[in-house]
Each structure stands twice: as C-alpha cells, then as structure tokens.
Amino acid sequence: MPFFEQLSAALSQQAASPAFWLIGGVTIFVIAASKGAFGGGAASLGVPMLSLITDPIGAAIIVAPLISMMDMFTLRTFGPSSWSKPDLRVLLPGLLLGLGVGWLAFASVDPRLVALMIGTISLAFALHWFWKRRGKPRGQGKPASAPLGFIAGAASGFTTFIAHSGGPPVTMYLMRRNLGKTLFVGTTAAIFTIGNILKLGPYGMLLMARPETLAGALLYAPIVPFGVWLGLRIHHRLSYEGIMLATNALLIIGGARLIWQALGSLLS
C-alpha cells in the first residue's frame, strides 16, 4: 500500500479511537503543560503511557516531534536572557556525545533497562531532596561544574534519545545550582530544545518508515500549544520553591512510573 494511503488509513483509525485520545491525548497535554511550567519534568511519561496504545518504539517515535514542537512554543517566553550560559557551556558537550551514542545504540539497547535505571535515579534523588529540606531553609547554590555538567549532559543525551527520559540528569545538576525559577526553567528549556532538534533527523527517518506514528504525531500536534500555554500560566504563579516542589514531585511520579513499567515488562 502506498505511503499516503497508509497514512490516511492510520489517521482515520486513530481519530476514531477513544483510547488514543484518553490515554495519548491527556499524556501529551500533561507533557506540554510541564514544558511550559518547569521546562520538562513530565516528558518521561510519554513512552510508558503511549506504550499502552502502541509499541514502545512507536511511542518514542510519536513523542519526538511533539516535544520539539513544545520547545518552540516554550522558547518564545524563555529566550536567551533566561539561560544560564555557564551551565549550558558545561552541559552541551556531554549532551552531544550522549545523543550520538544513543543514536548508535537505539536498536540494540533495551529501553526497559534504560527506563529502570533513570526511574531509580530520579526517585532516589527526589526523595533525598524532600528529606534534606525538612524544616531547613534553601542552601547556597553551588558553582557550575565542568565534570558534573559533562556527565549530566551525556546521561541526558543518551536517555533522551533512547526513551525521552533525559530530564532527570539535567534537572538534578541544575537544582544544585539554585538558579532561581526563570533561569532554572529557561536553561532546562534551552538544553532540551537543542537536544530535541538534533534528534529530529534520525526520528524523522523513523516517522517516514512508520506512517501510523506520523499519523499519531499529526493528530496530537494541536494539543501542544494549549498545554504549553497552561504551563506558562502556572509558571508565573509559582515561586521558586513551588517550582522545585513540583519538579521533584514530577520526578517521583515519573520515576515510579518508569520503574513500574520497566519491571512489569521485564518480569512478564
């Protein structure tokens, strides 16, 4: 069957599916809102949630262009003045390396093991943050670190390519800096915009090879601006402490979800 006939058939089938909208549509909206409010946070929910209505590789292919679209809307608010340039300088080299390794390993690495690792680290970090802040004022931020930034960038690049779960390494690195809410969100948005744009080439080829994933991305695309708009409104209403509380809550939810999904699949 020609490509456009397959695409048309997939569009009709998916548009008529309640599960497609209830599970996938709500998930994309939540990810878009988290992008606007926190610079990311819920992106790791994309693959495990959409895997309920398609296969994990298909879920990753659908999510990739949508996240890049979210970044374009987010950057209209969080431009260069909201980026921490010292942190971008130490994060970007590692990010590029991690993306390259992720591309090479995409077909051979089990995404369930990656999800399990990232979920465990995310959960441990967030629980430790809540434990440390009990009754204590926020501490002084630490300086930018080239070694830690490179490691965080590399881990983020690899995991974002394999499973769109690259948020936790960068989030954990930036939280130790205590940048303030706009610099924190702006820098997060900048680093993932760069990473997600670089992913578009490889994922674009995968989209064209699987018309049903392109159909899913096209149908979900109109949801993106509304989700980002809501997230931006939330961002302007929250304090830095509120942003950190919400970010760590998302790390716990996303981490627990990744662990549950990965273990369930590995043990089945």
Side-chain angles (χ1 to χ4, degrees), residues 95-139:
L95 180 76
L96 295 175
L97 175 64
L99 286 169
V101 174
W103 185 5
L104 293 174
F106 184 70
S108 58
V109 172
D110 189 335
R112 298 173 299 177
L113 296 178
V114 175
L116 182 60
M117 176 186 68
I118 292 300
T120 303
I121 294 172
S122 303
L123 194 59
F125 178 87
L127 291 173
H128 178 66
W129 185 86
F130 277 109
W131 175 263
K132 281 183 63 177
R133 71 179 292 276
R134 295 175 308 148
K136 298 179 182 179
R138 180 160 58 100

Side-chain angles (χ1 to χ4, degrees), residues 97-251:
L97 175 64
L99 286 169
V101 174
W103 185 5
L104 293 174
F106 184 70
S108 58
V109 172
D110 189 335
R112 298 173 299 177
L113 296 178
V114 175
L116 182 60
M117 176 186 68
I118 292 300
T120 303
I121 294 172
S122 303
L123 194 59
F125 178 87
L127 291 173
H128 178 66
W129 185 86
F130 277 109
W131 175 263
K132 281 183 63 177
R133 71 179 292 276
R134 295 175 308 148
K136 298 179 182 179
R138 180 160 58 100
Q140 196 71 17
K142 295 178 172 60
S145 167
L148 290 178
F150 183 84
I151 293 169
S156 180
F158 179 76
T159 54
T160 194
F161 197 99
I162 297 294
H164 302 305
S165 301
V170 168
T171 298
M172 289 185 279
Y173 170 81
L174 290 177
M175 284 182 64
R176 64 186 287 280
R177 297 272 288 123
N178 286 341
L179 295 172
K181 71 171 186 176
T182 300
L183 270 180
F184 172 77
V185 174
T187 307
T188 302
I191 193 75
F192 284 113
T193 297
I194 295 168
N196 290 326
I197 287 174
L198 292 174
K199 287 193 303 186
L200 277 181
Y203 270 103
M205 292 186 285
L206 294 169
L207 274 169
M208 300 308 291
R210 295 185 54 172
E212 79 281 3
T213 62
L214 177 58
L218 289 173
L219 288 171
Y220 288 140
I223 298 173
V224 168
F226 296 103
V228 174
W229 172 81
L230 177 63
L232 291 172
R233 291 180 65 88
I234 293 171
H235 172 84
H236 292 306
R237 291 173 180 268
L238 289 177
S239 64
Y240 179 80
E241 185 69 7
I243 291 286
M244 292 299 98
L245 282 168
T247 298
N248 278 282
L250 284 171
L251 280 175

Side-chain angles (χ1 to χ4, degrees), residues 14-15 17-30 49-50 52-53 220 223:
Q14 292 173 0
S17 169
F20 176 85
W21 295 110
L22 288 174
I23 297 174
V26 171
T27 299
I28 297 302
F29 185 84
V30 169
M49 291 302 295
L50 265 68
L52 297 174
I53 56 174
Y220 288 140
I223 298 173

